[in-house]
Amino acid sequence: MRPGIAALPAIVAAAIAGAAAPARADDDKPELQRMRFVERGDDLTVAITPPGGIGKLFDAAAYEALGTGIESTVVIRIQITPQDSDEPVAEQLIQRSVVYDVWDEVYRLQLDELGGQKKFQVKYRAEALKWLSAIEDLPVARLAVLPVGKVFVLKMVVELNPVSRETLAKVRRWLSQGNGGGLDRGGAFFGSFVSVFYNPKIADADRVLRIRSQPFYRERS
């Protein structure tokens, strides 16, 4: 399925009034982005629409690099925590990569996320970027771990081209542990999440984004 989702059933997580405006680029704080949370089956899904999202991970140089034939990799770590805590109730890990095939003149993508691994190709660089950066209808938590009425925040650390072999090895191990456990499994790979979320200088990657959602809660039906 291509990026872009159809209208879904009623929104089940409401933004709390008075959320602050998005952080300025020169703020050394995680950026606040307004997200849409929707119940879908047993899961909570999230979507971020422009001007929000993770597309700003790619500046002009990073975008041009997509066409060089050298692989670009995006690693997305997500935690959902109570509003007043850094203790996660759910965690998710996603890895997306692309390499330009200079002989066939196509972009070959690999997406590793909940539901398994997908490999496919697209013709245009802009389309490859869209696949790398789309946050649409993404499962992020089991509803069972989100009590109705309790206030939560989604936190996200996004890295472009992590340079640490150890980090990439941890990503591969985490993703290989099974498709269904990612929503609430946790593990050693997330041990550094809080440190990087509050101090981007700790991250070892070409670029890092730190994003948090507005506070949200599940409404009573």
Side-chain angles (χ1 to χ4, degrees):
M1 185 173 63
R2 290 183 178 277
I5 59 174
L8 295 174
I11 294 176
V12 298
I16 292 180
R24 299 190 308 273
D26 58 347
D27 281 343
D28 191 22
K29 297 179 181 179
E31 179 184 356
L32 175 59
Q33 293 193 10
R34 187 163 296 278
M35 304 182 188
R36 184 185 65 166
F37 296 93
V38 175
E39 282 188 8
R40 193 180 182 115
D42 294 329
D43 298 333
L44 184 73
T45 67
V46 67
I48 312 176
T49 56
I54 66 173
K56 64 182 66 177
L57 191 69
F58 291 85
D59 58 10
Y63 181 67
E64 290 299 319
L66 296 179
T68 62
I70 299 174
E71 185 176 74
S72 293
T73 298
V74 175
V75 174
I76 306 169
R77 284 185 282 176
I78 296 171
Q79 286 190 344
I80 293 181
T81 71
Q83 183 182 20
D84 57 354
S85 172
D86 285 323
E87 189 66 30
V89 299
E91 296 175 318
Q92 181 59 281
L93 173 64
I94 297 163
Q95 179 173 285
R96 299 169 176 173
S97 60
V98 64
V99 63
Y100 182 63
D101 187 324
V102 297
W103 300 108
D104 293 337
E105 297 184 333
V106 295
Y107 293 84
R108 302 191 184 279
L109 290 114
Q110 179 173 313
L111 310 182
D112 293 284
E113 51 193 65
L114 191 70
Q117 184 182 92
K118 300 177 184 177
K119 293 183 178 182
F120 56 96
Q121 63 188 42
V122 298
K123 180 65 175 177
Y124 301 107
R125 189 184 309 175
E127 192 174 5
L129 176 63
K130 188 174 182 180
W131 276 102
L132 290 174
S133 60
I135 304 294
E136 300 175 347
D137 195 24
L138 184 68
V140 289
R142 304 291 188 197
L143 295 179
V145 304
L146 303 171
V148 170
K150 186 175 178 62
V151 181
F152 295 95
V153 174
L154 184 147
K155 302 171 183 177
M156 183 182 300
V157 171
V158 188
E159 296 170 279
L160 175 62
N161 297 327
V163 298
S164 167
R165 292 184 179 180
E166 181 181 1
T167 294
L168 292 174
K170 288 180 179 179
V171 170
R172 288 192 293 269
R173 285 198 299 271
W174 200 95
L175 290 168
S176 71
Q177 290 177 22
N179 300 329
L183 290 173
D184 51 14
R185 181 172 59 241
F189 181 71
F190 281 88
S192 64
F193 182 94
V194 172
S195 297
V196 176
F197 187 73
Y198 292 108
N199 184 2
K201 295 178 182 179
I202 294 177
D204 194 6
D206 288 353
R207 298 196 73 191
V208 180
L209 292 180
R210 300 164 302 137
I211 300 168
R212 65 182 181 91
S213 73
Q214 77 279 11
F216 69 92
Y217 61 91
R218 292 180 59 207
E219 294 179 325
R220 297 185 185 277
S221 57

